[in-house]
Amino acid sequence: MTALLVVPGGLTAGPAYAATCGAATPTDPTFPLTTRIHGAPAAYEAGGAHRTWRLDLTNNTTRPCTDIHPVLVLVDERRVLTAGQARLEFYDGKRARPYPVRFEVTDADETIGVFDGDGFPGFTVGPGRTLSVKVRLAIRAGAVANDVVANAAVVQRHADDGDWVGQSNDYRFRVVAPGPAEAETTVPGVQSASPYDGELAGTGRRAAGIRLAGIALALLLTGGGVLLLARVRGAGRT
């Protein structure tokens, strides 16, 4: 199985479109961008304020990685989280106000938000450099108590196509009912059950990574934001 896919309209993304900073392939699973979620809370109170954490993008190559768009994938245990209940925004370090992220729900009940829109041109990460992106997430009132796993796939955009250039550790958190206690806990450092950071390791993780790549690469991005978010049906399913 490869990361090559066809999206509506006949466009393709994957090996045919080489990224300027390199891309993971079935024969070389090393990502050009090591991606890490850290400093994130262990719980979010439904209806509570935004909580802040960081998404680090480290360029392992000797070339700049441009037009980088992280894709945050939320998978909740009860499959009841709606697109309208997740509120996400991020900063690019260039303007004072954050960029909002609009979520969509896939046919597998994954809630996906693309760092795009509102004129955002994508991140640029210099060779050998780390870009630490400030991210704020909140869960709206009405969301039920639930366990959620967040994972960031990273896409390098090429006009209407893209390459899979990074994948983060898993970030696990709980949605809790309003109250004073649990939402104050913060997960120090990296919270992950994954044996790797920036590479595919193990057949189970590789299958999950390929499925996630299918989700991330099936993006038709336009200057006005996300025109279409389509899941690769059947890719990596068990």
Side-chain angles (χ1 to χ4, degrees), residues 191-230:
Q191 181 193 26
S192 175
S194 170
Y196 79 102
D197 195 0
E199 294 184 3
L200 297 176
T203 56
R205 185 66 181 181
R206 180 178 176 80
I210 291 174
R211 183 195 61 78
L212 187 55
I215 296 172
L217 288 178
L219 300 175
L220 182 59
L221 300 176
T222 70
V226 180
L227 178 63
L228 176 65
L229 183 63

Side-chain angles (χ1 to χ4, degrees), residues 112-177:
I112 298 183
V114 183
F115 288 44
D116 192 53
D118 198 21
F120 177 60
F123 295 112
T124 295
V125 187
R129 303 296 296 272
T130 295
L131 177 66
S132 187
V133 180
K134 180 180 177 181
V135 180
R136 285 161 38 94
L137 176 66
I139 304 297
R140 292 184 185 274
V144 302
N146 206 351
D147 290 312
V148 183
V149 178
N151 188 289
V154 182
V155 172
Q156 183 175 41
R157 176 181 168 184
H158 304 287
D160 291 333
D161 305 286
D163 281 295
W164 181 30
V165 294
Q167 180 180 332
S168 79
N169 54 299
D170 289 340
Y171 160 40
R172 302 175 186 274
F173 64 87
R174 176 180 291 270
V175 176
V176 299

Side-chain angles (χ1 to χ4, degrees), residues 14-204:
Y17 292 82
T20 59
C21 61
T25 69
T27 56
D28 180 9
T30 303
F31 289 113
L33 291 178
T34 297
T35 307
R36 184 170 70 102
I37 295 172
H38 65 99
Y44 293 81
E45 181 181 297
H50 281 86
R51 307 296 303 279
T52 301
W53 41 273
R54 293 280 176 172
L55 178 65
D56 285 357
L57 304 171
T58 300
N59 184 350
N60 302 309
T61 77
T62 58
R63 292 175 290 179
C65 290
T66 61
D67 215 341
I68 299 299
H69 296 265
V71 181
L72 190 67
V73 182
L74 304 178
V75 180
D76 64 299
E77 182 177 2
R78 300 179 65 178
R79 297 297 197 270
V80 294
L81 186 69
T82 67
Q85 288 173 338
R87 300 166 55 204
L88 184 72
E89 57 190 31
F90 67 94
Y91 294 82
D92 67 353
K94 298 178 180 178
R95 72 177 197 179
R97 69 183 189 278
Y99 290 89
V101 173
R102 180 170 62 88
F103 280 95
E104 303 282 350
V105 177
T106 72
D107 59 355
D109 295 322
E110 295 145 326
T111 306
I112 298 183
V114 183
F115 288 44
D116 192 53
D118 198 21
F120 177 60
F123 295 112
T124 295
V125 187
R129 303 296 296 272
T130 295
L131 177 66
S132 187
V133 180
K134 180 180 177 181
V135 180
R136 285 161 38 94
L137 176 66
I139 304 297
R140 292 184 185 274
V144 302
N146 206 351
D147 290 312
V148 183
V149 178
N151 188 289
V154 182
V155 172
Q156 183 175 41
R157 176 181 168 184
H158 304 287
D160 291 333
D161 305 286
D163 281 295
W164 181 30
V165 294
Q167 180 180 332
S168 79
N169 54 299
D170 289 340
Y171 160 40
R172 302 175 186 274
F173 64 87
R174 176 180 291 270
V175 176
V176 299
E182 192 170 357
E184 293 305 313
T185 303
T186 298
V187 179
V190 177
Q191 181 193 26
S192 175
S194 170
Y196 79 102
D197 195 0
E199 294 184 3
L200 297 176
T203 56

